[in-house]
């Protein structure tokens, strides 16, 4: 049985990953996958985010009534989506802390109330 992670463990993983992403952002493209994505630019990173989002959706459909292996495949695809989203944020000089702060701001608000508070730009 897996031991559930505590918020501190999750934050540690995100912090460590954020640090790696920062270091690889300006590294030589041949030195790492992340560096190669940054070198190729935002459009390539967005392409990967879109690809991973589609794969996550398909895996979720399979997992809904699927086996444990299909449910684990969904977890793996979600990890890929989160990873590529973090690369995207890093490319734009943002990181997981910005997302966590936004989630914390929304915590305790109903989804309907939060949506009503958003302003749309023309």
């Amino acid at each position: 049985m897996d031991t559930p992670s505590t918020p501190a463990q999750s934050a540690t993983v995100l912090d460590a990953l954020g640090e790696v992403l920062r270091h690889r952002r300006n590294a030589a493209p041949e030195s790492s996958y992340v560096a190669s994505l940054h070198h190729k630019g935002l459009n390539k990173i967005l392409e990967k985010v879109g690809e991973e989002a589609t794969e996550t959706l398909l895996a979720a459909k399979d997992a809904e009534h699927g086996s444990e292996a299909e449910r684990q495949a969904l977890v793996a695809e979600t990890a890929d989506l989160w990873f590529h989203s973090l690369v995207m944020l890093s490319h734009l000089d943002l990181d997981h802390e910005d997302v966590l702060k936004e989630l914390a701001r929304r915590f305790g608000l109903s989804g309907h109330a939060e949506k009503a508070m958003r302003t749309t730009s023309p």
Side-chain angles (χ1 to χ4, degrees):
M1 177 193 278
D2 291 334
T3 303
S5 65
T6 64
Q9 288 171 321
S10 298
T12 301
V13 169
L14 287 173
D15 291 341
L17 183 54
E19 188 65 24
V20 168
L21 293 176
R22 275 189 291 284
H23 285 198
R24 294 191 180 161
R25 183 168 173 204
N26 296 312
E30 62 277 358
S31 68
S32 78
Y33 174 69
V34 170
S36 72
L37 284 175
H38 282 299
H39 181 74
K40 291 173 185 172
L42 183 60
N43 284 344
K44 181 61 177 178
I45 295 167
L46 296 177
E47 181 182 307
K48 289 299 298 179
V49 171
E51 176 186 314
E52 298 302 341
T54 299
E55 291 174 4
T56 301
L57 294 173
L58 294 172
K61 292 297 284 180
D62 291 341
E64 183 178 24
H65 301 292
S67 66
E68 186 57 35
E70 288 167 316
R71 295 175 63 78
Q72 187 55 46
L74 173 59
V75 170
E77 291 299 344
T78 302
D80 290 346
L81 175 58
W82 286 13
F83 174 80
H84 286 88
S85 295
L86 291 169
V87 173
M88 174 192 65
L89 290 170
S90 173
H91 193 78
L92 297 170
D93 289 324
L94 297 165
D95 67 22
H96 66 280
E97 286 295 333
D98 299 299
V99 176
L100 294 175
K101 287 175 188 171
E102 177 60 17
L103 288 172
R105 183 190 70 77
R106 294 180 185 186
F107 195 81
L109 275 178
S110 83
H112 295 297
E114 192 281 326
K115 187 173 180 181
M117 290 172 40
R118 290 186 208 165
T119 58
T120 57
S121 301

